[in-house]
Amino acid sequence: MAVAFASAFFLFLSVSFFLLRHNVRVEMEHYAKSMVAIYADLAVYKANDLEHPIDTSFNDVLSFYGDYMCTWYRVDYMFAYVPDIKNGTITYLSVNWKEKKFGETDEDYMAGDVEEYVLTEEELKVWRGEQQFSVAKSGWFESGTDVSMAVDDDFGNRAMMCITVSISEFMNEMMHGFLIAAVCMSAFIAVLALFLYLFIRRRVSIPAGNISKKMGDYISGGKLSKVKLENANDDEFAMIAQSFNQMTDDIDAYINNISQMEKERERQRSEADIASRIQQGLLSPNYAYLRNCGIKAVMKPAKSVGGDLYDYFELDESRTMIVVADVSGKGIAAAILMAIVLTLIRQYAKIGYGPSDILKNVNLTLSEENSNLMFVTAFVAIYNSATGKLTYSNAGHNLPYLIHNGPVRLEASGGTPLGLFADEEYEDAEVEMADGDSVFLYTDGVTEAVNGNGEFYGTDRLEKVLKETSGTIKKYYVEAVEESLRSFAGETEQNDDITMLSFLARRMPVLELDYDVREFAKIRDCLLDSFLPKSLIMDLCVAAEECFVNICSYAFDGPAPEGEKILFSLEYSNKVVITFSDGGRQFDPRRDLPDTREYDIDTAVGGLGRLIAFTVADTVDYKYEEGRNILTITKLLIK
Amino acid sequence: MNISKKTENGTVTFSPEGWLDTVSSPELGDMVDAVTEASSLVLDFDKVEYMSSAGLRQVIATHKKAKALDASFAVINVCPTVMSIFKMTNIDRKLDIRAK
C-alpha cells in the first residue's frame, strides 16, 4: 500500500512539474515581450526628451534602463544593437545583465563592440518592421527565451532591443511555492495514508483477523464450540459477524435438531423393536406338534411390524383351527388391526363357531366402525381328526393348497374381505384329508415377492417348490418356500409381509414299545421326525433314552408279561411334553439321585442316566395311577 | 456303529461315529476291553454327535482300563452337545476331556 501511495505521489509530482514548466514558459514569453516593450518605450521616451544627438545619449539611456530592468525585474540580459546586415555584424549600443553593478562593464560585450552575427529570419523581419517581435528559445529544455524588437527614436535612429529571460528565474520563484505546496501536500497525503492505514487496520484488518480466527475456532478439533463474534461497529464486518453468528446459531440449531431427530429415531426404533416383539408374542409359537397335527408357521413383516397373522389352536381333542389373514396396508396401523382381528377370531372360535360364522361375526364387528375402510382377507379352517375333514371358509384370501401327492388349490368358498360389507355372507366348504396330507396357507407377500429384475415370485414357483417338498419325508414346506424365496429375491428388499403356515394332518402316534433298550431307536426316530430344533432334539433324546432305559432295566425282575408295553407319547406347542407309561414296579425316579460333587467315577454305578435326564428337562413329574408309572418330561420352548 | 481303531507309538485311539447310546455303546466297550497293551488310550469324539449315560459309562470304563494298563487317557474333539453331558455330570473335571 505504501508503494502504491509513493508511486501515485511521484506520478502526481511529475505531471504537476511538467504542467507547471509549460505554464512558466508561456508566462515567460509574455513577460519578456512586455519587458522589452517597456524597455523600448522607456528608452525611446527618454531619448526623445533629450536634446543630445543619438550616438551618445541614446546609448546612455539604453544602458540606464537596461540596468534598471536587470536590477529590478527578472531579466538576465538586456541589450541593444544595430545590425549591419550587409557585413553580417552587429554593433552593441548597450549591454546589461542581471548581476552587473551600475557603470560596470563586461569585457566581452561592451557598448560599441562589433561582433559577427547574422540575424535570424525572425530578427530580419523585426528589423524590417514586418513583425513586432522575434522569439528564440535557448538552452536545456528551452530554459531561456530571447525576445527582440526594433525601436526608432525621433531622430531617425533605429536599434534592435533584445532581452533574455531565463526560466530559472521564474522557476526558482514558482518552484519555491510549488515545493511548499508539494511538501504540504506530501505531509497531508502521508497523514492521510497513516490515518487510512490506522482506519483500515482498526476497521478492516483486525476485524477480518478476528473473524478468521473465530471461524477457525468454531470448527477446530472437529467439533463445534460455542463461538460468538462481537462487533460493535456498524459496518460490513458487523454484518459479516452478524451473519456468522446467525450461521453458527443455525448450525447449532440444526445439529441439535439432528441429534434430537437421532434420539427420536432411536426411540422409534426401540419402540418398533418392542412392538415387533409384542406382535410376534401375540402369535402362537411358529411350530407345534399337537395331538392331531403338526404345524409350522412364519410371519415376516416387511417393516418391524406387519398386518399379517397366522394362528392355530386346539378346540378340543379332535379339532384344531388354523387361520391366515392379511390386513390391508403395512406398519403400525395394520399391526393394530391385526391384533384386533387375531383376538376376534380366537374369541369367536372359542365359543364354538365354525369357519363361516367366525368370518361373518368378525366381518360384522369390523364393518361397524371402519371409517378408514381398512379391510382384512382371511382364511379360516378347522380340521377334525375324528372325521378327517377340513372345514374352511374364505374371506377374499389366497386359497391355500391341499398337498397329497402334489399341491392342489382348495375350491373357492366364502365371500369378500372382512370389514367392507356388514351384510356379507360367508359359506363353509369341506375337503377330506388323509393322514400325512398337508395344507399350505400363505399371504400374497409370498407370490408377490419381487426379485432384482422386477419379476414376481408367482404361483408357478410356489407350486413347484411344494411339489418337490411333498416328495420328501419331512414335508418342511414353510422352510422350503422360505429358502426358495430367499434365493429368488436375493438382495431385493422385502416389500410386503410374508406369512405361511403349513398344517400336517397327522395323529401323533403313541408308541407302544417292548421292554427292550433297542426299542429306543423308535423313540429317537420319532423325535428326529419332529419339527423341533436339532439341539433340542438331542437334549430330548438324552432325557428320553435315560428314562426309557431305566424303565426297561428295573420294571420287572424277569421278562415283561406278554402284551405289556411301554407307552411313549410326544406333544408340543409352546412346550414339549414326553410321557412314558409302564406297568412295572412302582418306582419314582426322582428319588435317590446321586450328587455329582461326591460322585466317584471309580466306584459308583447307576443313577447317572437319571441325573442327566433330570438336568436336561425343565420339569419331571411322576405319578402312579391304575397300576402304571406315569412319567412326564417337560421342556419349555420359550424361556 | 462304526468304530475305527488306530495304534501308533503305544497310543491306541478309538474313533466312534454317530450316536453313543444304549444300543451302540457296548460295542465300544468290547473294543476297549480287547486292548492288552498301551501307553496311552484316546477316544476321538470328532464324529460323535450324541452321547447318553450309556456312552458316558463307556468313557469311564475306558478310563478304568487305562488306569489298569498304567496308560494315560483323554477324550478329544468333543462337540458342544456331548460336552454338555460331561459338564452336567462334572466328569469333565475328573477326566481329560477336550472340546473340539
Side-chain angles (χ1 to χ4, degrees):
Chain A
M1 195 163 61
V3 173
F5 266 111
S7 309
F9 184 56
F10 183 74
L11 188 69
F12 168 74
L13 275 184
S14 311
V15 171
S16 307
F17 184 78
F18 279 98
L19 282 174
L20 190 68
R21 204 182 162 87
H22 175 75
N23 285 341
V24 165
R25 277 203 316 274
V26 173
E27 274 304 293
M28 205 159 65
E29 198 176 306
H30 283 298
Y31 185 74
K33 283 175 179 173
S34 313
M35 284 301 118
V36 76
I38 289 167
Y39 180 35
D41 281 352
L42 283 170
V44 170
Y45 174 73
K46 269 296 175 194
N48 287 347
D49 268 2
L50 295 172
E51 292 166 1
H52 306 290
I54 185 145
D55 49 343
T56 53
S57 57
F58 190 48
N59 287 6
D60 287 343
V61 170
L62 286 171
S63 187
F64 175 80
Y65 285 109
D67 260 355
Y68 177 77
M69 303 286 285
C70 284
T71 305
W72 297 107
Y73 295 90
R74 288 168 298 190
V75 173
D76 286 0
Y77 283 94
M78 197 104 224
F79 53 95
Y81 62 87
V82 177
D84 183 345
I85 294 158
K86 222 184 281 176
N87 294 325
T89 58
I90 57 168
T91 306
Y92 289 105
L93 300 179
S94 157
V95 179
N96 298 92
W97 60 94
K98 195 175 176 178
E99 284 85 15
K100 177 176 170 288
K101 303 274 182 333
F102 189 75
E104 188 186 353
T105 54
D106 185 334
E107 285 177 6
D108 295 335
Y109 301 102
M110 302 250 307
D113 278 357
V114 177
E115 196 184 348
E116 286 189 2
Y117 178 74
V118 178
L119 268 61
T120 63
E121 278 303 300
E122 290 273 291
E123 284 165 340
L124 267 175
K125 283 180 184 171
V126 169
W127 183 250
R128 290 192 198 116
E130 290 165 16
Q131 66 180 48
Q132 196 182 1
F133 297 106
S134 83
V135 178
K137 288 164 184 168
S138 65
W140 180 78
F141 276 96
E142 298 139 20
S143 60
T145 302
D146 294 340
V147 175
S148 305
M149 75 178 285
V151 292
D152 297 288
D153 68 2
D154 292 351
F155 306 102
N157 300 316
R158 189 178 179 83
M160 279 291 267
M161 310 289 285
C162 190
I163 189 168
T164 298
V165 180
S166 82
I167 197 166
S168 56
E169 271 305 308
F170 282 79
M171 283 302 279
N172 283 346
E173 195 165 307
M174 297 190 76
M175 279 301 280
H176 186 64
F178 177 75
L179 277 173
I180 289 171
V183 167
C184 290
M185 187 78 82
S186 305
F188 174 71
I189 288 171
V191 168
L192 189 68
L194 183 69
F195 177 74
L196 266 177
Y197 170 71
L198 289 175
F199 177 80
I200 288 169
R201 191 176 137 78
R202 200 169 76 79
R203 300 295 291 268
V204 179
S205 302
I206 293 174
N210 279 344
I211 287 176
S212 159
K213 185 177 173 300
K214 293 264 185 170
M215 283 177 171
D217 288 348
Y218 184 60
I219 51 168
S220 65
K223 53 184 177 187
L224 303 178
S225 48
K226 293 277 170 211
V227 170
K228 282 283 163 279
L229 288 177
E230 285 157 24
N231 209 317
N233 298 326
D234 183 19
D235 58 10
E236 286 80 357
F237 285 105
M239 288 164 67
I240 289 175
Q242 201 183 353
S243 301
F244 178 78
N245 288 343
Q246 182 66 47
M247 186 191 78
T248 57
D249 283 349
D250 287 350
I251 288 174
D252 288 346
Y254 289 144
I255 286 171
N256 195 28
N257 220 347
I258 287 167
S259 48
Q260 285 292 335
M261 280 161 66
E262 190 50 48
K263 272 184 207 154
E264 179 63 16
R265 242 205 308 269
E266 188 53 47
R267 197 179 61 77
Q268 285 176 356
R269 247 201 301 272
S270 76
E271 275 183 4
D273 206 40
I274 293 166
S276 174
R277 270 183 280 154
I278 289 173
Q279 187 177 44
Q280 292 291 339
L282 287 176
L283 297 170
S284 300
N286 61 0
Y287 53 88
Y289 219 141
L290 307 176
R291 277 170 290 194
N292 53 22
C293 61
I295 285 167
K296 178 83 193 182
V298 66
M299 197 280 265
K300 263 168 55 183
K303 297 181 177 179
S304 48
V305 290
D308 278 7
L309 69 90
Y310 69 81
D311 199 17
Y312 60 86
F313 59 86
E314 289 179 296
L315 297 170
D316 54 40
E317 282 197 357
S318 57
R319 293 190 311 145
T320 304
M321 188 198 71
I322 51 174
V323 180
V324 164
D326 182 355
V327 176
S328 61
K330 289 189 282 264
I332 300 287
I336 292 170
L337 191 50
M338 169 269 185
I340 294 169
V341 171
L342 184 70
T343 313
L344 285 174
I345 291 175
R346 277 181 190 170
Q347 293 311 313
Y348 287 123
K350 274 178 187 166
I351 58 175
Y353 286 177
S356 60
D357 284 338
I358 291 172
L359 290 178
K360 188 180 165 186
N361 283 285
V362 173
N363 178 52
L364 209 59
T365 311
L366 290 182
S367 305
E368 278 166 4
E369 288 183 37
N370 185 13
S371 52
N372 293 325
L373 281 181
M374 290 181 78
F375 60 90
V376 185
T377 67
F379 180 91
V380 179
I382 293 173
Y383 173 68
N384 188 335
S385 61
T387 60
K389 284 204 169 108
L390 183 79
T391 310
Y392 63 91
S393 190
N394 189 29
H397 196 80
N398 307 47
L399 281 168
Y401 290 97
L402 173 65
I403 308 168
H404 182 63
N405 288 323
V408 178
R409 258 187 203 280
L410 290 176
E411 296 286 327
S413 76
T416 56
L418 307 172
L420 294 178
F421 309 103
D423 57 351
E424 183 70 7
E425 292 291 331
Y426 296 91
E427 289 166 12
D428 279 327
E430 238 177 40
V431 68
E432 292 271 349
M433 283 185 83
D435 198 46
D437 283 0
S438 290
V439 179
F440 180 82
L441 292 76
Y442 64 102
T443 57
D444 56 7
V446 174
T447 44
E448 286 167 21
V450 179
N451 69 3
N453 301 325
E455 296 167 327
F456 286 114
Y457 183 73
T459 49
D460 290 349
R461 286 190 181 82
L462 177 61
E463 284 171 16
K464 187 164 171 280
V465 173
L466 295 178
K467 170 85 183 146
E468 283 166 7
T469 313
S470 69
T472 64
I473 299 165
K474 306 234 166 159
K475 308 195 191 318
Y476 284 174
Y477 297 109
V478 169
E479 287 88 339
V481 175
E482 251 188 319
E483 178 56 38
S484 168
L485 274 173
R486 218 183 344 262
S487 62
F488 171 78
E491 297 295 306
T492 311
E493 203 182 336
Q494 180 189 338
N495 58 14
D496 196 3
D497 306 332
I498 289 176
T499 299
M500 294 179 262
L501 185 148
S502 89
F503 169 89
L504 178 66
R506 194 172 70 172
R507 175 170 281 280
M508 184 60 228
V510 174
L511 299 176
E512 295 186 0
L513 306 163
D514 292 331
Y515 288 78
D516 180 348
V517 291
R518 283 171 299 190
E519 292 276 274
F520 170 66
K522 289 181 184 169
I523 295 174
R524 187 187 65 190
D525 290 346
C526 177
L527 285 167
L528 283 176
D529 202 23
S530 70
F531 285 103
L532 296 165
K534 186 80 189 279
S535 63
L536 190 62
I537 290 174
M538 289 301 181
D539 283 352
L540 291 169
C541 276
V542 173
E545 181 184 335
E546 303 303 352
C547 293
F548 180 67
V549 170
N550 213 48
I551 294 166
C552 290
S553 312
Y554 303 112
F556 299 103
D557 289 328
E562 186 67 26
E564 173 57 36
K565 301 280 187 188
I566 301 171
L567 302 180
F568 166 88
S569 73
L570 168 71
E571 279 179 61
Y572 59 94
S573 53
N574 58 352
K575 64 183 179 184
V576 184
V577 181
I578 290 173
T579 311
F580 284 105
S581 159
D582 72 89
R585 84 167 70 123
Q586 184 176 356
F587 176 70
D588 186 347
R590 293 173 297 185
R591 280 165 40 202
D592 306 324
L593 278 178
D595 184 348
T596 54
R597 285 168 300 184
E598 290 162 16
Y599 189 76
D600 185 350
I601 56 171
D602 293 327
T603 56
V605 284
L608 259 190
R610 277 186 295 137
L611 177 81
I612 292 170
F614 281 67
T615 311
V616 164
D618 284 320
T619 59
V620 177
D621 284 322
Y622 170 80
K623 61 185 174 187
Y624 190 72
E625 256 179 25
E626 297 168 15
R628 292 187 77 83
N629 295 297
I630 312 289
L631 183 64
T632 311
I633 303 165
T634 309
K635 191 148 176 73
L636 298 174
L637 296 183
I638 301 152
K639 294 203 178 183
Chain B
M1 166 173 240
N2 187 14
I3 305 170
S4 63
K5 180 190 169 189
K6 198 174 75 177
T7 308
E8 200 176 72
N9 299 330
T11 301
V12 182
T13 306
F14 294 98
S15 308
E17 280 179 35
W19 285 48
L20 269 182
D21 57 21
T22 310
V23 181
S24 59
S25 296
E27 225 180 297
L28 176 64
D30 293 345
M31 288 182 75
V32 171
D33 257 356
V35 179
T36 53
E37 202 182 347
S39 62
S40 179
L41 279 179
V42 175
L43 293 177
D44 185 351
F45 272 22
D46 190 36
K47 287 179 176 140
V48 174
E49 51 179 321
Y50 173 91
M51 184 183 74
S52 66
S53 66
L56 196 60
R57 245 172 249 119
Q58 294 309 327
V59 172
I60 295 168
T62 311
H63 155 69
K64 285 181 175 171
K65 178 75 179 177
K67 225 175 168 185
L69 293 175
D70 203 16
S72 65
F73 173 68
V75 184
I76 60 170
N77 293 324
V78 180
C79 74
T81 307
V82 175
M83 192 53 128
S84 68
I85 303 292
F86 283 119
K87 285 207 162 125
M88 69 179 69
T89 51
N90 281 331
I91 301 288
D92 64 319
R93 295 195 206 156
K94 289 169 179 162
L95 300 181
D96 185 3
I97 314 288
R98 298 174 202 175
K100 206 181 266 191

